[in-house]
Amino acid sequence: MLIHANRFLITRRLVQITVMLLFFAGSAAGWTILRGNLSCARLFDVLTLADPYAVLQMLAARAMPTAEIAVGALTVAVIYALLGGRVFCAWVCPMNVVTDLAAWLRGGFCGHLCPMGAFYSLIGRGNLIKPVHNPDKCTMCMRCVEVCPERQVLHMIGKKNAMVSSGQCINCGRCIEVCGDNAIGLGSRLFSDK
């Protein structure tokens, strides 16, 4: 029961730890699964993945990225645009662990000051996967709002059947985990009439 209630949190932590361990193993042990860092990496020494925000910083500094890095940044931008721009914030960014542990930072640095979060919020505005609220099942307990690191995105709770439309949602899944009424679940814009 405890594992089910925290399935998104546990999965996110496993993903974050795995990414960090793979980066470390790429440097320390020479593994080729994931080499580099969060700004630019090679996956299996075949696919280059580059942070689009870092590439924009390069361009602003009048440095020209290679074609390989530009394609890597485009690849990452497309992935985040489809999954949700700020999915990086919840599933990859190591800072997320710190903000989860330090509740007073929630809605502070990550939600309003982090330039990467803002950038990925813009990329993911039209993403396909988001939490969806069903008011017919909702008992207005507000647990979902209490745990959400970006509470303003759950404005529809108890009011209407709607998908979270804000790019500020980091798709962490905490609202889904704590909802004992099953009033919130993941949905796709492809199969939604809203």
Side-chain angles (χ1 to χ4, degrees):
M1 183 66 169
L2 184 61
I3 290 175
H4 180 74
N6 292 291
R7 65 193 180 277
F8 284 97
L9 179 63
I10 292 167
T11 306
R12 285 189 304 122
R13 290 299 177 256
L14 287 173
V15 169
Q16 289 166 329
I17 291 167
T18 300
V19 168
M20 290 299 118
L21 288 175
L22 287 174
F23 276 132
F24 178 76
S27 295
W31 290 10
T32 60
I33 298 171
L34 190 61
R35 291 181 189 225
N37 56 45
L38 290 174
S39 293
C40 188
R42 299 264 303 156
L43 186 63
F44 298 109
D45 269 346
V46 174
L47 179 64
T48 297
L49 301 172
D51 177 7
Y53 187 68
V55 170
L56 286 179
Q57 290 175 343
M58 289 174 64
L59 293 171
R62 297 190 177 152
M64 195 62 166
T66 65
E68 183 180 24
I69 290 175
V71 170
L74 182 62
T75 301
V76 170
V78 168
I79 291 168
Y80 286 152
L82 293 175
L83 294 179
R86 291 195 61 205
V87 76
F88 167 84
C89 301
W91 292 82
V92 179
C93 182
M95 186 67 175
N96 179 266
V97 176
V98 175
T99 58
D100 276 358
L101 293 174
W104 60 272
L105 281 178
R106 284 190 178 163
F109 179 77
C110 290
H112 303 288
L113 300 176
C114 178
M116 287 180 73
F119 178 73
Y120 287 131
S121 177
L122 292 174
I123 286 179
R125 273 211 179 315
N127 67 313
L128 300 177
I129 302 168
K130 285 286 189 184
V132 179
H133 174 256
N134 180 345
D136 296 333
K137 295 181 178 181
C138 184
T139 59
M140 293 291 293
C141 69
M142 303 307 276
R143 282 184 289 231
C144 55
V145 175
E146 290 170 10
V147 300
C148 183
E150 298 292 340
R151 295 176 181 176
Q152 69 278 6
V153 304
L154 295 176
H155 60 85
M156 80 293 280
I157 298 302
K159 298 176 189 161
K160 61 182 178 178
N161 188 5
M163 179 175 279
V164 172
S165 59
S166 174
Q168 293 177 346
C169 176
I170 64 172
N171 284 358
C172 67
R174 291 296 291 148
C175 58
I176 298 167
E177 290 176 337
V178 300
C179 183
D181 306 317
N182 291 320
I184 301 179
L186 282 178
S188 170
R189 291 182 195 271
L190 295 176
F191 306 107
S192 173
D193 57 356
K194 300 293 175 200

